[in-house]
Amino acid sequence: MTMTEHKDKTRFFGVGEPLIQRQRDQGIDPAACMDLIKGLGCTAYRSWMHITEILTDPQTPDLEAVAQHKRLLDRAAQLDIEVTGMSHEWFLPEGCKQRMGHAMPERDLTPGSLYMQALEMLEQSWCTMASLFPQVKIWEVGNEWNLNAFLHPDGFLDTDMSKPFTPDEKYDIAVDMMYFAARGIRKGNPEAKVASFSPALSTEGLGGGLPYFFPVMYGVAWALDQVYSRIASGRFWSVKTDDYFDLVAWHPYVFTTRDVPDYELFMDVEEPDTLWRDFNDAAYRVMKRYGDADKQVLLTETGFTDCGNPEWEKRYAAYNQKILRFAMEMPYVRTLHNFRLLNENAMLQRAGIEDNQIGGLTEVYFGLFTDPEEGCRPRLRARAIQEMTGAAQDLEALGRRVSETMKK
């Protein structure tokens, strides 16, 4: 298959939001949010479906949680919106410091070890998830495992966090986890497709192992090369990448290229240019090198945060259109999921925890719409995306409907 044969963009425009979590926190109707996504002209949705929130153990569903997700998924199916389900939480066996989270025991392939028990629990969990939700066409099995926050040693968060996994340890574990996750999904629903974990940037502070002198965005290609080289080495479970994933996912955020602390990388970013395109193409070059040129790519998170700054909001709406145009011309990209549907500043301010949100202030202003507690009004990036999709629905009215569901 040649690169030009990839270029089916029927599911290109996507958006992500943890809608069930927002339902629990704010009482919004997730189905109304699916109408909002459709109104943007998007045909794909990335859903946060954490194993530990939907199951009580690897084999046992929480019936209330399952029902919540099924209502959302059924509405997506009615609207012909393709769903990618993602979990970045899993269960750990008795004997670990934790019972769930983003953690793994030390890698030990000895039969019966805590590590092997964790992998077997992961396989069973994914089998249960895939069988429960046949509406989900694609499962993304992990989130940013190249970073310390999303893959770390058992008990890491209870210590001073000074001893994360080394990059080599993380990539070894990530390859193991993808293999067992894929095996579980295929047992649970042979029709579902498996997406790789989604690597992101790499910095010395956040993890990933990219040499310090490269732009941080090349951390995606670096992570993929670490994964592919391990699979090809013959030292893992299979040398066939199909046994680990059907599609490849990554997070091509736009970061500043200035020398700033990690937490400022999202702030006051420069206009994306050929560098943004090249660090995506670099990741695809890795795929081609290892024989995966025919696999499609999901850009499962990318977006812009304006931190509530109106000048940045206007600038980033234009930037968002620019990266969408770039990605439209990348034949290997199946979907670009804009992160994210809703701001969450009102919810966090009400709870008094805005400053403690992961990523701080930057995290809460990625939304295409204002917080439902502030009317769920379309922001400039929503207008920019709808302009590109050609959709003509009244976003103000759809947003009001979402906000009004909170009062019922």
Side-chain angles (χ1 to χ4, degrees):
M1 182 180 292
T2 64
M3 284 182 61
T4 54
E5 290 178 284
H6 277 255
K7 204 172 180 179
D8 175 8
K9 299 295 184 181
T10 56
R11 300 292 179 182
F12 176 72
F13 291 99
V15 65
E17 179 68 38
L19 288 174
I20 298 302
Q21 287 91 322
R22 297 300 288 265
Q23 179 184 25
R24 294 169 184 165
D25 290 335
Q26 293 180 287
I28 63 171
D29 179 4
C33 290
M34 296 309 299
D35 293 335
L36 195 59
I37 291 168
K38 187 71 172 182
L40 284 167
C42 293
T43 55
Y45 165 62
R46 180 181 185 239
S47 186
W48 277 243
M49 300 179 69
H50 295 317
I51 285 169
T52 57
E53 295 178 3
I54 295 173
L55 309 180
T56 58
D57 63 53
Q59 293 180 295
T60 309
D62 179 317
L63 297 181
E64 181 180 353
V66 170
Q68 287 179 321
H69 282 277
K70 281 190 172 180
R71 285 191 291 269
L72 172 61
L73 296 172
D74 288 344
R75 184 58 182 156
Q78 291 169 0
L79 295 172
D80 189 29
I81 294 174
E82 180 180 78
V83 176
T84 294
M86 179 275 297
S87 172
H88 57 68
E89 300 243 348
W90 53 87
F91 294 109
L92 294 173
E94 188 174 346
C96 290
K97 300 179 181 70
Q98 300 172 221
R99 295 307 304 272
M100 62 182 67
H102 308 103
M104 284 292 283
E106 181 179 350
R107 189 171 190 259
D108 176 1
L109 301 183
T110 305
S113 68
L114 288 176
Y115 184 77
M116 289 305 302
Q117 290 181 53
L119 291 178
E120 289 158 6
M121 291 173 74
L122 186 70
E123 179 179 354
Q124 178 59 63
S125 297
W126 277 115
C127 178
T128 305
M129 291 282 285
S131 64
L132 284 170
F133 302 109
Q135 307 97 319
V136 176
K137 304 303 181 186
I138 302 170
W139 290 103
E140 180 188 355
V141 298
N143 182 75
E144 299 183 358
W145 285 345
N146 59 322
L147 304 185
N148 298 334
F150 290 101
L151 182 57
H152 45 247
D154 177 32
F156 178 72
L157 297 179
D158 296 327
T159 68
D160 61 4
M161 295 187 286
S162 63
K163 294 182 179 179
F165 285 129
T166 67
D168 280 339
E169 288 171 334
K170 276 206 291 284
Y171 294 121
D172 285 351
I173 293 169
V175 171
D176 292 342
M177 291 178 70
M178 283 191 292
Y179 179 81
F180 278 80
R183 198 162 69 173
I185 290 166
R186 287 169 181 151
K187 288 177 182 177
N189 180 8
E191 301 301 313
K193 299 296 184 184
V194 180
S196 70
F197 90 85
S198 46
L201 80 165
S202 177
T203 75
E204 290 182 283
L206 297 174
L210 180 74
Y212 71 92
F213 46 82
F214 285 109
V216 298
M217 300 87 85
Y218 284 100
V220 170
W222 180 269
L224 289 180
D225 188 71
Q226 297 298 309
V227 166
Y228 272 105
S229 64
R230 281 165 168 75
I231 293 171
S233 72
R235 296 184 290 106
F236 288 78
W237 307 94
S238 169
V239 295
K240 298 178 181 178
T241 62
D242 291 353
D243 290 334
Y244 299 82
F245 44 81
D246 303 301
L247 304 99
V248 181
W250 65 75
H251 291 176
Y253 283 103
V254 178
F255 301 107
T256 181
T257 58
R258 293 184 290 270
D259 185 15
V260 297
D262 288 348
Y263 63 86
E264 291 184 5
L265 286 167
F266 281 112
M267 300 175 69
D268 198 12
V269 299
E270 300 92 345
E271 183 172 0
D273 54 19
T274 52
L275 176 63
W276 187 84
R277 171 151 191 158
D278 188 65
F279 87 77
N280 285 285
D281 284 348
Y284 183 65
R285 289 194 291 269
V286 174
M287 294 170 60
K288 287 199 296 182
R289 182 181 183 88
Y290 289 96
D292 263 358
D294 60 335
K295 280 189 168 66
Q296 292 182 310
V297 170
L298 306 177
L299 305 181
T300 41
E301 276 185 30
T302 188
F304 297 85
T305 176
D306 54 63
C307 298
N309 181 326
E311 180 183 338
W312 289 4
E313 182 186 355
K314 181 178 180 180
R315 187 195 313 169
Y316 297 159
Y319 288 6
N320 210 148
Q321 284 191 331
K322 189 166 185 178
I323 64 169
L324 284 165
R325 291 190 186 101
F326 273 134
M328 284 287 287
E329 296 305 316
M330 298 174 184
Y332 52 87
V333 174
R334 175 187 177 87
T335 305
L336 185 150
H337 286 284
N338 291 275
F339 183 84
R340 56 190 287 192
L341 186 66
L342 307 171
N343 277 357
E344 57 180 343
N345 53 301
M347 177 182 69
L348 293 172
Q349 286 169 357
R350 173 171 47 77
I353 58 172
E354 183 176 28
D355 291 340
N356 293 326
Q357 165 70 340
I358 295 174
L361 190 62
T362 59
E363 186 76 15
V364 304
Y365 283 98
F366 276 99
L368 303 178
F369 290 80
T370 63
D371 193 299
E373 294 182 27
E374 296 181 340
C376 200
R377 295 182 302 277
R379 307 184 75 228
L380 294 181
R381 286 179 55 231
R383 301 288 190 194
I385 291 167
Q386 192 186 48
E387 180 182 319
M388 291 197 69
T389 66
Q393 289 184 261
D394 185 341
L395 296 181
E396 293 274 3
L398 291 170
R400 281 196 301 272
R401 192 180 307 163
V402 171
S403 188
E404 288 167 0
T405 65
M406 298 173 58
K407 303 171 186 176
K408 295 179 180 178

